[in-house]
Amino acid sequence: MSDTTGKVITCKAAVCWGAGEPLKLEDVEVAPPKAHEVRIKVLYTGICHTDEYTRSGSDPEGAFPVILGHEGGGIVESIGEGVTSVKVGDHVIPLYTAECRECKFCKSGKTNLCSSVRATQGQGLMPDKSSRFTIKGREILHFMGTSTFSQYTVVADVSVVAVNPAAPLNKVCLLGCGITTGWGAVAKQPGVEGSNVAVFGCGCVGLSAINGANLVKASRIIAVDTNPAKEAWAKKFGATEFVNPKDLPAGKRIQDHLVEITDGGLDFTFDATGNVDVMRAALEACHKGWGVSTVIGVAAAGKEISTRPFQLVTGRVWRGTAFGGVKGRTELPGIVDDYLKGSVKVDEYVTHEFSLADINKGFEAMHSGDCIRAVVDMS
Ligand code: NAD
Ligand code: DAO
Ligand code: ZN
């Protein structure tokens, strides 16, 4: 038991007060965890596009004021009554995709989505419909059930997993979203071994999908990105080829080019751009009869996907995945161990590091085109 157990902790947090505003460093009060809740001292957090999506006001359902952040790593400071999933002192990763192991979804064996805290998480609240964050008595909302842009955060016990303490948290915090998402989307997709694969978008998520395709021994891994600087990145992560759609002859569509160079199309394609036109191209680049295209990217509000239905009638499959289909509490410790053994890349994604005071520079870096992931030191 620490000397802060049961007490309100006042600490620094980067608060988003409104859409489009830079985050503001504030003294925030963090209440002790209630039953089935865990208070975590956050040591590091990555910045991911979903944080920016809400900060910039692109999410029409984004609510303020809020403490963003969902790619974190820290140490359990205290636990509420009934918590058995973690203990004080554990090194943990908060999970924006909970795993209760009791709901219809968890028990289905068909999905990693979990309904246990879904409704309140979407409202920026803890399961009892209240917040643990205040500033001078004013309630501040949680985000994605994680809020890792605070030096202390409170999460539901189903939304956190203990990992090997030998793993550096300034790296494995990234397994809380982007890396696990890309890796899982490929590694958990049956049939990729020996197949040809195209990954559209070579950011953190796409590079991780490429790494996953390499690990499961896909025969051909074609990376597609409009940024020429991503060729070197893609090849470093295992791509066998790189195509920049901008280099194609005028009027030539990327899907037609890919179908030509693969004798009819890809066995598997993955969208890691969030662009709905790219999602269509990824589907239409699939081989007739069996090609499977997975949407990983999150599209801007109001966007819709389309293709000719004949693309599906003729045997292509269009699917999607959240958090790579990974069940966080069950599978993330093993992924951390695979990282420690050297099979899953993590360190390689960290291109920028910032202090909490400079967290807004991390958001600027994300728009620069040369940032794969920025990690923020929360101390
Ligand atoms: P990122 O911005 O770092 O990478 C996107 C890449 O796509 C960039 O390299 C960019 O140059 C490239 N790109 C942009 N337009 C393109 C085009 N027309 N053709 C080819 N390449 C193009 O983003 P990221 O962090 O890798 O995330 C990728 C997407 O995945 C985002 O939409 C993000 O919101 C989403 N995401 C989804 C999940 C999930 O669970 N499904 C989890 C994390 C992130
Ligand atoms: O269970 O209904 C649900 C929603 C689950 C949300 C999954 C979020 C997937 C996209 C996350 C984007 C990046 C963090
Ligand atoms: Zn569940």
Side-chain angles (χ1 to χ4, degrees):
M1 199 166 96
S2 72
D3 58 5
T4 47
T5 303
K7 297 178 185 161
V8 171
I9 293 176
T10 300
C11 66
K12 298 286 181 200
V15 177
C16 188
W17 288 97
E21 294 181 18
L23 305 186
K24 198 158 170 238
L25 209 58
E26 304 277 8
D27 288 317
V28 61
E29 299 108 31
V30 185
K34 295 188 181 178
H36 290 286
E37 296 178 2
V38 177
R39 188 161 63 181
I40 300 166
K41 181 176 169 64
V42 181
L43 298 179
Y44 297 95
T45 183
I47 305 176
C48 173
H49 287 264
T50 306
D51 304 310
E52 173 61 355
Y53 186 64
T54 300
R55 188 207 65 81
S56 64
S58 304
D59 179 358
E61 292 176 10
F64 304 93
V66 62
I67 298 176
L68 303 171
H70 65 284
E71 256 185 4
I75 297 178
V76 174
E77 174 270 340
S78 62
I79 56 175
E81 207 178 304
V83 172
T84 54
S85 57
V86 294
K87 58 186 189 313
V88 172
D90 277 351
H91 287 213
V92 292
I93 295 178
L95 302 168
Y96 69 85
T97 302
E99 184 190 350
C100 76
R101 299 176 176 162
E102 286 167 7
C103 74
K104 179 180 177 183
F105 290 83
C106 283
K107 289 208 281 208
S108 72
K110 298 175 181 173
T111 178
N112 65 330
L113 300 181
C114 166
S115 62
S116 62
V117 295
R118 185 67 249 149
T120 47
Q121 179 174 316
Q123 295 167 337
L125 299 171
M126 295 301 289
D128 75 343
K129 299 190 175 151
S130 65
S131 171
R132 300 292 159 269
F133 297 118
T134 51
I135 295 180
K136 297 189 182 89
R138 177 174 177 184
E139 184 177 85
I140 309 294
L141 294 174
H142 294 248
F143 177 70
M144 293 181 81
T146 51
S147 287
T148 57
F149 291 172
S150 176
Q151 289 176 320
Y152 284 85
T153 191
V154 178
V155 303
D157 60 357
V158 292
S159 304
V160 61
V161 63
V163 298
N164 190 329
L169 288 170
N170 61 339
K171 301 291 190 297
V172 296
C173 62
L174 298 183
L175 290 171
C177 184
I179 298 177
T180 303
T181 295
W183 172 86
V186 177
K188 293 174 76 68
Q189 168 69 53
V192 178
E193 182 178 352
S195 298
N196 63 22
V197 170
V199 176
F200 292 71
C202 302
C204 175
V205 174
L207 291 174
S208 186
I210 290 167
N211 184 215
N214 192 37
L215 287 172
V216 299
K217 299 190 167 41
S219 59
R220 198 169 168 190
I221 306 169
I222 305 176
V224 180
D225 203 297
T226 45
N227 177 351
K230 293 298 176 82
E231 175 165 7
W233 278 99
K235 294 209 167 144
K236 178 176 167 184
F237 280 74
T240 55
E241 291 143 80
F242 179 84
V243 180
N244 184 340
K246 290 182 174 171
D247 292 343
L248 298 178
K252 182 91 179 181
R253 302 186 314 163
I254 180 69
Q255 54 265 54
D256 297 332
H257 174 72
L258 291 174
V259 166
E260 274 171 30
I261 66 169
T262 56
D263 186 26
L266 282 305
D267 301 313
F268 296 95
T269 65
F270 298 86
D271 166 72
T273 69
N275 176 320
V276 292
D277 298 324
V278 176
M279 292 174 193
R280 177 180 190 148
L283 183 271
E284 295 179 355
C286 282
H287 202 289
K288 180 171 155 182
W290 62 76
V292 176
S293 186
T294 300
V295 174
I296 313 174
V298 176
K303 292 286 185 185
E304 295 184 354
I305 49 172
S306 64
T307 189
R308 288 184 302 120
F310 205 63
Q311 291 282 335
L312 306 183
V313 168
T314 48
R316 296 169 194 83
V317 174
W318 217 348
R319 63 183 293 278
T321 173
F323 197 40
V326 168
K327 284 176 175 273
R329 287 175 60 205
T330 301
E331 298 181 77
L332 211 51
I335 299 172
V336 169
D337 289 341
D338 286 344
Y339 156 71
L340 287 170
K341 284 184 221 144
S343 55
V344 170
K345 289 187 196 298
V346 176
D347 298 7
E348 291 81 352
Y349 297 82
V350 182
T351 52
H352 295 67
E353 292 174 297
F354 297 98
S355 65
L356 176 56
D358 280 338
I359 193 166
N360 286 305
K361 290 187 182 163
F363 281 86
E364 287 162 25
M366 279 173 60
H367 296 290
S368 67
D370 67 355
C371 175
I372 304 298
R373 270 298 187 264
V375 172
V376 179
D377 181 341
M378 298 297 294
S379 59

mmCIF file of all heavy atoms in Angstrom, residues 98-107 112-117, ligand 3:
data_model
loop_
_atom_site.group_PDB
_atom_site.id
_atom_site.type_symbol
_atom_site.label_atom_id
_atom_site.label_comp_id
_atom_site.label_asym_id
_atom_site.label_seq_id
_atom_site.Cartn_x
_atom_site.Cartn_y
_atom_site.Cartn_z
ATOM 1 N N ALA A 98 -11.742 -3.219 -23.745
ATOM 2 C CA ALA A 98 -11.780 -3.984 -22.500
ATOM 3 C C ALA A 98 -11.913 -5.477 -22.790
ATOM 4 O O ALA A 98 -12.199 -5.886 -23.930
ATOM 5 C CB ALA A 98 -12.953 -3.507 -21.650
ATOM 6 N N GLU A 99 -11.693 -6.284 -21.773
ATOM 7 C CA GLU A 99 -11.943 -7.721 -21.886
ATOM 8 C C GLU A 99 -12.455 -8.208 -20.533
ATOM 9 O O GLU A 99 -11.678 -8.421 -19.611
ATOM 10 C CB GLU A 99 -10.643 -8.465 -22.277
ATOM 11 C CG GLU A 99 -10.894 -9.941 -22.503
ATOM 12 C CD GLU A 99 -9.618 -10.760 -22.662
ATOM 13 O OE1 GLU A 99 -8.507 -10.189 -22.782
ATOM 14 O OE2 GLU A 99 -9.740 -11.999 -22.629
ATOM 15 N N CYS A 100 -13.785 -8.376 -20.436
ATOM 16 C CA CYS A 100 -14.370 -8.772 -19.139
ATOM 17 C C CYS A 100 -14.440 -10.276 -18.976
ATOM 18 O O CYS A 100 -14.565 -10.791 -17.879
ATOM 19 C CB CYS A 100 -15.757 -8.156 -18.973
ATOM 20 S SG CYS A 100 -17.051 -8.973 -19.944
ATOM 21 N N ARG A 101 -14.418 -11.002 -20.087
ATOM 22 C CA ARG A 101 -14.501 -12.460 -20.122
ATOM 23 C C ARG A 101 -15.874 -12.989 -19.706
ATOM 24 O O ARG A 101 -16.047 -14.185 -19.505
ATOM 25 C CB ARG A 101 -13.403 -13.114 -19.252
ATOM 26 C CG ARG A 101 -12.016 -12.744 -19.743
ATOM 27 C CD ARG A 101 -10.918 -13.283 -18.866
ATOM 28 N NE ARG A 101 -9.620 -12.971 -19.438
ATOM 29 C CZ ARG A 101 -8.476 -12.997 -18.764
ATOM 30 N NH1 ARG A 101 -8.487 -13.323 -17.490
ATOM 31 N NH2 ARG A 101 -7.354 -12.704 -19.359
ATOM 32 N N GLU A 102 -16.839 -12.119 -19.535
ATOM 33 C CA GLU A 102 -18.161 -12.560 -19.071
ATOM 34 C C GLU A 102 -19.294 -12.151 -20.002
ATOM 35 O O GLU A 102 -20.368 -12.748 -19.965
ATOM 36 C CB GLU A 102 -18.449 -11.976 -17.684
ATOM 37 C CG GLU A 102 -17.655 -12.655 -16.593
ATOM 38 C CD GLU A 102 -17.689 -11.898 -15.289
ATOM 39 O OE1 GLU A 102 -18.449 -10.914 -15.192
ATOM 40 O OE2 GLU A 102 -16.948 -12.291 -14.375
ATOM 41 N N CYS A 103 -19.103 -11.119 -20.814
ATOM 42 C CA CYS A 103 -20.211 -10.621 -21.651
ATOM 43 C C CYS A 103 -20.392 -11.540 -22.869
ATOM 44 O O CYS A 103 -19.569 -12.406 -23.161
ATOM 45 C CB CYS A 103 -19.961 -9.180 -22.078
ATOM 46 S SG CYS A 103 -18.693 -8.997 -23.347
ATOM 47 N N LYS A 104 -21.486 -11.300 -23.566
ATOM 48 C CA LYS A 104 -21.820 -12.092 -24.763
ATOM 49 C C LYS A 104 -20.680 -12.062 -25.782
ATOM 50 O O LYS A 104 -20.353 -13.069 -26.408
ATOM 51 C CB LYS A 104 -23.099 -11.493 -25.356
ATOM 52 C CG LYS A 104 -23.620 -12.132 -26.598
ATOM 53 C CD LYS A 104 -24.890 -11.392 -27.032
ATOM 54 C CE LYS A 104 -25.440 -11.939 -28.317
ATOM 55 N NZ LYS A 104 -26.621 -11.175 -28.764
ATOM 56 N N PHE A 105 -20.075 -10.877 -25.950
ATOM 57 C CA PHE A 105 -18.997 -10.731 -26.930
ATOM 58 C C PHE A 105 -17.770 -11.531 -26.490
ATOM 59 O O PHE A 105 -17.205 -12.297 -27.264
ATOM 60 C CB PHE A 105 -18.624 -9.251 -27.084
ATOM 61 C CG PHE A 105 -19.671 -8.431 -27.774
ATOM 62 C CD1 PHE A 105 -20.757 -7.930 -27.071
ATOM 63 C CD2 PHE A 105 -19.591 -8.167 -29.128
ATOM 64 C CE1 PHE A 105 -21.725 -7.178 -27.705
ATOM 65 C CE2 PHE A 105 -20.558 -7.414 -29.773
ATOM 66 C CZ PHE A 105 -21.642 -6.913 -29.054
ATOM 67 N N CYS A 106 -17.358 -11.322 -25.233
ATOM 68 C CA CYS A 106 -16.161 -12.021 -24.743
ATOM 69 C C CYS A 106 -16.334 -13.532 -24.800
ATOM 70 O O CYS A 106 -15.405 -14.261 -25.117
ATOM 71 C CB CYS A 106 -15.851 -11.590 -23.307
ATOM 72 S SG CYS A 106 -15.066 -9.968 -23.192
ATOM 73 N N LYS A 107 -17.554 -13.991 -24.501
ATOM 74 C CA LYS A 107 -17.771 -15.437 -24.452
ATOM 75 C C LYS A 107 -18.004 -16.051 -25.827
ATOM 76 O O LYS A 107 -18.007 -17.268 -25.967
ATOM 77 C CB LYS A 107 -18.968 -15.739 -23.540
ATOM 78 C CG LYS A 107 -18.627 -15.488 -22.067
ATOM 79 C CD LYS A 107 -19.409 -16.335 -21.105
ATOM 80 C CE LYS A 107 -20.771 -15.852 -20.876
ATOM 81 N NZ LYS A 107 -21.406 -16.145 -19.614
ATOM 82 N N ASN A 112 -12.912 -9.661 -30.365
ATOM 83 C CA ASN A 112 -12.237 -9.088 -29.188
ATOM 84 C C ASN A 112 -13.037 -7.915 -28.620
ATOM 85 O O ASN A 112 -12.638 -7.325 -27.623
ATOM 86 C CB ASN A 112 -10.820 -8.616 -29.550
ATOM 87 C CG ASN A 112 -10.831 -7.463 -30.541
ATOM 88 O OD1 ASN A 112 -11.730 -7.342 -31.371
ATOM 89 N ND2 ASN A 112 -9.831 -6.612 -30.468
ATOM 90 N N LEU A 113 -14.130 -7.539 -29.273
ATOM 91 C CA LEU A 113 -14.947 -6.456 -28.722
ATOM 92 C C LEU A 113 -15.618 -6.952 -27.448
ATOM 93 O O LEU A 113 -15.955 -8.127 -27.335
ATOM 94 C CB LEU A 113 -16.001 -6.004 -29.739
ATOM 95 C CG LEU A 113 -15.455 -5.464 -31.066
ATOM 96 C CD1 LEU A 113 -16.594 -5.030 -31.981
ATOM 97 C CD2 LEU A 113 -14.483 -4.309 -30.828
ATOM 98 N N CYS A 114 -15.775 -6.053 -26.492
ATOM 99 C CA CYS A 114 -16.345 -6.408 -25.185
ATOM 100 C C CYS A 114 -17.376 -5.341 -24.848
ATOM 101 O O CYS A 114 -17.136 -4.149 -25.055
ATOM 102 C CB CYS A 114 -15.229 -6.429 -24.144
ATOM 103 S SG CYS A 114 -15.791 -6.444 -22.426
ATOM 104 N N SER A 115 -18.522 -5.755 -24.331
ATOM 105 C CA SER A 115 -19.590 -4.774 -24.088
ATOM 106 C C SER A 115 -19.617 -4.267 -22.648
ATOM 107 O O SER A 115 -20.401 -3.392 -22.318
ATOM 108 C CB SER A 115 -20.952 -5.385 -24.440
ATOM 109 O OG SER A 115 -21.198 -6.491 -23.601
ATOM 110 N N SER A 116 -18.719 -4.782 -21.787
ATOM 111 C CA SER A 116 -18.868 -4.533 -20.342
ATOM 112 C C SER A 116 -18.854 -3.057 -19.966
ATOM 113 O O SER A 116 -19.629 -2.628 -19.134
ATOM 114 C CB SER A 116 -17.796 -5.283 -19.561
ATOM 115 O OG SER A 116 -16.515 -4.820 -19.928
ATOM 116 N N VAL A 117 -17.944 -2.279 -20.540
ATOM 117 C CA VAL A 117 -17.854 -0.861 -20.164
ATOM 118 C C VAL A 117 -18.134 0.054 -21.361
ATOM 119 O O VAL A 117 -17.853 1.249 -21.319
ATOM 120 C CB VAL A 117 -16.466 -0.530 -19.554
ATOM 121 C CG1 VAL A 117 -16.273 -1.265 -18.240
ATOM 122 C CG2 VAL A 117 -15.338 -0.845 -20.524
HETATM 123 ZN ZN ZN B 3 -16.692 -8.586 -22.270
#
